[in-house]
Short mmCIF file of all heavy atoms in Angstrom, two decimals:
data_model
loop_
_atom_site.label_atom_id
_atom_site.label_comp_id
_atom_site.label_asym_id
_atom_site.label_seq_id
_atom_site.Cartn_x
_atom_site.Cartn_y
_atom_site.Cartn_z
N VAL A 700 37.14 185.93 48.42
CA VAL A 700 37.75 185.33 49.58
C VAL A 700 39.24 185.67 49.54
O VAL A 700 39.90 185.46 48.53
CB VAL A 700 37.54 183.80 49.60
CG1 VAL A 700 38.19 183.18 50.80
CG2 VAL A 700 36.07 183.47 49.55
N GLU A 719 15.00 169.77 23.81
CA GLU A 719 15.58 169.86 22.47
C GLU A 719 16.33 171.17 22.21
O GLU A 719 16.53 171.54 21.06
CB GLU A 719 14.50 169.65 21.39
CG GLU A 719 13.73 168.35 21.52
CD GLU A 719 14.58 167.10 21.30
OE1 GLU A 719 15.56 167.17 20.55
OE2 GLU A 719 14.23 166.06 21.89
N TYR A 723 23.05 177.52 28.09
CA TYR A 723 24.42 177.81 28.50
C TYR A 723 24.47 178.76 29.68
O TYR A 723 23.52 179.47 29.98
CB TYR A 723 25.24 178.37 27.33
CG TYR A 723 24.79 179.72 26.85
CD1 TYR A 723 25.29 180.88 27.42
CD2 TYR A 723 23.87 179.83 25.83
CE1 TYR A 723 24.88 182.12 26.99
CE2 TYR A 723 23.46 181.07 25.39
CZ TYR A 723 23.97 182.21 25.97
OH TYR A 723 23.56 183.44 25.55
N ILE A 728 35.95 184.16 35.33
CA ILE A 728 37.02 183.80 36.27
C ILE A 728 38.01 184.96 36.28
O ILE A 728 38.53 185.34 35.23
CB ILE A 728 37.72 182.50 35.84
CG1 ILE A 728 36.71 181.37 35.77
CG2 ILE A 728 38.84 182.16 36.81
CD1 ILE A 728 37.28 180.09 35.23
N THR A 729 38.25 185.52 37.45
CA THR A 729 39.13 186.67 37.59
C THR A 729 40.38 186.28 38.37
O THR A 729 40.29 185.68 39.46
CB THR A 729 38.41 187.82 38.32
OG1 THR A 729 37.23 188.15 37.59
CG2 THR A 729 39.29 189.05 38.43
N ASN A 730 41.53 186.61 37.83
CA ASN A 730 42.82 186.37 38.49
C ASN A 730 43.01 187.48 39.53
O ASN A 730 43.07 188.65 39.20
CB ASN A 730 43.94 186.40 37.45
CG ASN A 730 45.31 186.15 38.05
OD1 ASN A 730 45.49 186.18 39.26
ND2 ASN A 730 46.29 185.94 37.20
N PHE A 749 29.49 170.94 27.31
CA PHE A 749 30.66 171.43 26.59
C PHE A 749 31.21 172.58 27.43
O PHE A 749 30.45 173.44 27.86
CB PHE A 749 30.31 172.00 25.22
CG PHE A 749 29.87 171.01 24.20
CD1 PHE A 749 28.67 171.16 23.53
CD2 PHE A 749 30.67 169.92 23.87
CE1 PHE A 749 28.26 170.26 22.57
CE2 PHE A 749 30.28 169.01 22.91
CZ PHE A 749 29.07 169.18 22.27
N ASP A 778 16.42 164.23 37.96
CA ASP A 778 17.09 164.53 39.23
C ASP A 778 17.12 166.05 39.48
O ASP A 778 18.09 166.71 39.26
CB ASP A 778 18.49 163.94 39.28
CG ASP A 778 19.36 164.36 38.10
OD1 ASP A 778 18.80 164.82 37.10
OD2 ASP A 778 20.59 164.23 38.21
N LEU A 779 15.97 166.57 39.96
CA LEU A 779 15.92 167.96 40.39
C LEU A 779 15.83 167.93 41.91
O LEU A 779 14.91 167.35 42.44
CB LEU A 779 14.70 168.67 39.79
CG LEU A 779 14.74 168.87 38.29
CD1 LEU A 779 13.41 169.43 37.79
CD2 LEU A 779 15.87 169.79 37.88
N ASP A 799 48.91 176.09 25.46
CA ASP A 799 49.44 174.93 24.75
C ASP A 799 50.76 174.44 25.32
O ASP A 799 51.19 173.33 25.04
CB ASP A 799 49.64 175.27 23.27
CG ASP A 799 48.32 175.63 22.59
OD1 ASP A 799 47.27 175.11 23.01
OD2 ASP A 799 48.35 176.43 21.64
N GLN A 800 51.42 175.27 26.12
CA GLN A 800 52.71 174.92 26.70
C GLN A 800 52.61 174.36 28.12
O GLN A 800 53.62 174.03 28.73
CB GLN A 800 53.63 176.15 26.73
CG GLN A 800 53.90 176.73 25.36
CD GLN A 800 54.56 178.10 25.44
OE1 GLN A 800 54.32 178.86 26.37
NE2 GLN A 800 55.41 178.39 24.46
N PHE A 806 48.12 170.25 36.77
CA PHE A 806 47.04 170.23 37.75
C PHE A 806 47.08 169.00 38.66
O PHE A 806 46.08 168.69 39.30
CB PHE A 806 45.69 170.36 37.03
CG PHE A 806 45.57 171.67 36.29
CD1 PHE A 806 45.83 171.73 34.93
CD2 PHE A 806 45.25 172.83 36.96
CE1 PHE A 806 45.75 172.93 34.25
CE2 PHE A 806 45.18 174.04 36.29
CZ PHE A 806 45.42 174.09 34.93
N LYS A 808 48.39 167.21 42.01
CA LYS A 808 48.85 167.63 43.34
C LYS A 808 50.12 166.91 43.76
O LYS A 808 50.85 167.39 44.62
CB LYS A 808 47.75 167.36 44.37
CG LYS A 808 46.52 168.18 44.15
CD LYS A 808 45.46 167.81 45.17
CE LYS A 808 44.16 168.51 44.87
NZ LYS A 808 43.10 168.11 45.78
N LYS A 820 28.24 174.09 41.87
CA LYS A 820 27.02 173.30 41.75
C LYS A 820 26.28 173.68 40.48
O LYS A 820 26.41 174.78 39.97
CB LYS A 820 26.10 173.52 42.95
CG LYS A 820 26.66 173.00 44.25
CD LYS A 820 25.64 173.10 45.36
CE LYS A 820 25.35 174.55 45.67
NZ LYS A 820 24.42 174.74 46.79
N VAL A 821 25.47 172.73 39.99
CA VAL A 821 24.62 172.96 38.83
C VAL A 821 23.18 173.06 39.31
O VAL A 821 22.72 172.26 40.13
CB VAL A 821 24.75 171.81 37.81
CG1 VAL A 821 23.76 171.96 36.68
CG2 VAL A 821 26.17 171.74 37.28
N VAL A 822 22.48 174.07 38.80
CA VAL A 822 21.07 174.26 39.13
C VAL A 822 20.28 174.26 37.82
O VAL A 822 20.61 175.02 36.90
CB VAL A 822 20.84 175.59 39.87
CG1 VAL A 822 19.36 175.81 40.15
CG2 VAL A 822 21.65 175.63 41.16
N VAL A 846 23.59 191.43 26.10
CA VAL A 846 23.91 192.80 26.50
C VAL A 846 24.30 193.63 25.29
O VAL A 846 23.81 194.74 25.11
CB VAL A 846 25.04 192.80 27.56
CG1 VAL A 846 25.54 194.21 27.80
CG2 VAL A 846 24.55 192.18 28.85
N ILE A 860 15.27 208.43 17.26
CA ILE A 860 14.54 209.53 17.92
C ILE A 860 15.24 210.85 17.63
O ILE A 860 14.60 211.84 17.29
CB ILE A 860 14.42 209.27 19.44
CG1 ILE A 860 13.50 208.07 19.69
CG2 ILE A 860 13.91 210.51 20.15
CD1 ILE A 860 13.49 207.60 21.13
#
Side-chain angles (χ1 to χ4, degrees):
V700 180
E719 304 295 331
Y723 66 88
I728 301 174
T729 303
N730 181 348
F749 290 126
D778 54 343
L779 293 173
D799 298 330
Q800 300 168 328
F806 298 98
K808 295 177 186 176
K820 293 187 294 183
V821 174
V822 178
V846 170
I860 292 171

